[in-house]
Amino acid sequence: IPLKNRRWFSDPPGHRTRKSRLVTKDGHCNIEFGNIEYSNHFAFVVDFWTTFVEIRWRFVLVLFVATFTGSWFMFSLLWYWIAKSNGDLTAQNQTEEHVRCIDNVNGLTTAFLYSLETQTTIGYGGRALTGHCAGTVALIIIQSLVGVFINCFMCGIILAKISLPKKRAKTVTFSNTAVICLKKGSLCLLIRVANLRKTLLIGSQIYGKLLRTTTTPDGETIILDQLDVDFMVDAGKDNLFFVCPLTLYHVINRSSPFYELSADTLPLQDFELVVFLDGTAESTSSSCQVRTSYVPQEIQWGYSFLPIISRTKTGKYRVDFSNFSKSVRVTTPHCVHCFETDGDQRTPNKENHINQLKLGIDNLGFQVIDIPDPVDVTKM
């Protein structure tokens, strides 16, 4: 659907509503799923590894404690059953010729201690197999293998959660607000982004999505309609050299979704600008994505960011993050149409000036003097 055929929803003048974000300032998505069929819930169980990696740390710790404690207790019941079947318990009558399967396992408590010592390979020496029962040999092999599997699984989950790429995204920050001002002769929307680590994000790309509610010419209402918003820096928009904070800008022209806005209508709009930064961490080679969003009340028309990069006397470059999100009021056109109208009025004067430079300008102080032809005195 062409951009001009879509109608924006805006609040009436004087009416202020609290905008519910789809993406929070720290990048979390504010969305929930309802009426999911039971069969779809089973898919989370099938993909158990991703489910365990994405759950919260509190549940991981509970799973860690429950898994190990539960396995020790389950195997202690098996050791207790073997000891009871063989007559090794204290309450059972034992003869002098009685041969034990496990030494010093006289009850459920000692069976649990023996299970713990076996799976954690502690081996204090007080409780041990006698080797007279074949079932105990098979059970100790099974418990050792199960213990190794649980150790690998839990260590893998903890390591995967620690090394999640979204943790790297915590050290990339965006400015709290966006600004609209003139840049290189065009009206632009500017935001700032900074990498707080000295390690680079390789292959960084920046782009945006404008989320809003629109109506089509057919009367259909589209909630969370997405439009592309291109951002760039002076060196381009791909493969950013992300060694210092960058000021990203979007040119507001006829193809921009902000073309119809003005300084007065901007606070009344109902949209959300989501900005994405994709890159690969230099130290871990893991891909990560950083997200943030801006609502109309967080976009300042007629402001520009304060400079933050300076050079010290020792030759080092210094970044002052105290001015990272600060802005100052600058002269800015009221709307894009006003800026284009003023540009059209200046164009004829500029063309006349260029023609005058080409044709020349009469100098009133210049006097025309007739210079006679020189006499030819050359003789043959």
Side-chain angles (χ1 to χ4, degrees), residues 186-378:
S186 300
L187 194 63
C188 299
L189 184 144
L190 282 70
I191 62 174
R192 264 183 178 165
V193 59
N195 179 20
L196 302 181
R197 289 188 178 273
K198 293 185 178 180
T199 55
L200 301 180
L201 286 176
I202 303 173
S204 300
Q205 295 181 349
I206 188 78
Y207 58 95
K209 295 288 184 180
L210 184 67
L211 309 178
R212 63 187 184 184
T213 301
T214 59
T215 55
T216 64
D218 300 332
E220 179 185 3
T221 301
I222 303 177
I223 301 177
L224 295 181
D225 186 21
Q226 301 185 17
L227 296 176
D228 292 332
V229 179
D230 295 330
F231 284 93
M232 62 183 68
V233 294
D234 294 335
K237 62 179 181 179
D238 296 330
N239 299 325
L240 306 178
F241 185 46
F242 209 1
V243 69
C244 60
L246 299 177
T247 300
L248 311 170
Y249 64 91
H250 164 73
V251 180
I252 304 178
N253 50 27
R254 294 183 182 272
S255 61
S256 171
F258 303 105
Y259 183 73
E260 300 293 335
L261 298 181
S262 65
D264 295 332
T265 61
L266 175 61
L268 305 178
Q269 300 301 320
D270 183 13
F271 66 85
E272 182 176 355
L273 175 62
V274 184
V275 184
F276 303 85
L277 175 65
D278 297 339
T280 302
E282 184 181 29
S283 55
T284 61
S285 299
S286 58
S287 301
C288 64
Q289 183 183 85
V290 191
R291 299 179 294 268
T292 191
S293 67
Y294 299 93
V295 294
Q297 291 73 24
E298 296 172 342
I299 301 178
Q300 299 176 322
W301 191 294
Y303 284 81
S304 179
F305 288 118
L306 292 175
I308 59 174
I309 300 178
S310 60
R311 193 170 183 177
T312 62
K313 296 180 180 180
T314 58
K316 291 185 178 181
Y317 293 94
R318 182 177 181 272
V319 179
D320 184 10
F321 279 98
S322 62
N323 294 333
F324 181 72
S325 295
K326 292 183 180 179
S327 57
V328 61
R329 183 179 291 276
V330 294
T331 303
T332 306
H334 183 266
C335 61
V336 184
H337 297 284
C338 302
F339 177 70
E340 292 180 345
T341 302
D342 295 340
D344 295 338
Q345 294 176 355
R346 291 192 301 266
T347 301
N349 296 331
K350 184 177 180 180
E351 292 179 352
N352 294 334
H353 179 68
I354 294 175
N355 293 332
Q356 289 177 355
L357 292 177
K358 291 181 178 179
L359 300 177
I361 301 177
D362 293 336
N363 189 353
L364 301 179
F366 181 79
Q367 296 181 358
V368 180
I369 302 176
D370 294 333
I371 300 177
D373 296 334
V375 179
D376 189 3
V377 294
T378 304

Side-chain angles (χ1 to χ4, degrees), residues 27-85:
H28 291 87
C29 295
N30 182 25
I31 191 170
E32 63 179 15
F33 301 98
N35 300 325
I36 300 178
E37 297 181 359
Y38 178 77
S39 58
N40 293 331
H41 287 287
F42 183 72
F44 292 95
V45 180
V46 175
D47 188 17
F48 65 91
W49 176 256
T50 305
T51 303
F52 288 146
V53 171
E54 291 182 349
I55 60 177
R56 298 182 180 273
W57 273 106
R58 62 172 76 88
F59 300 115
V60 173
L61 295 178
V62 171
L63 178 65
F64 183 88
V65 174
T67 301
F68 282 102
T69 306
S71 63
W72 298 335
F73 182 74
M74 292 300 296
F75 279 101
S76 69
L77 294 179
L78 296 177
W79 292 118
Y80 177 80
W81 175 73
I82 292 177
K84 183 177 181 181
S85 300

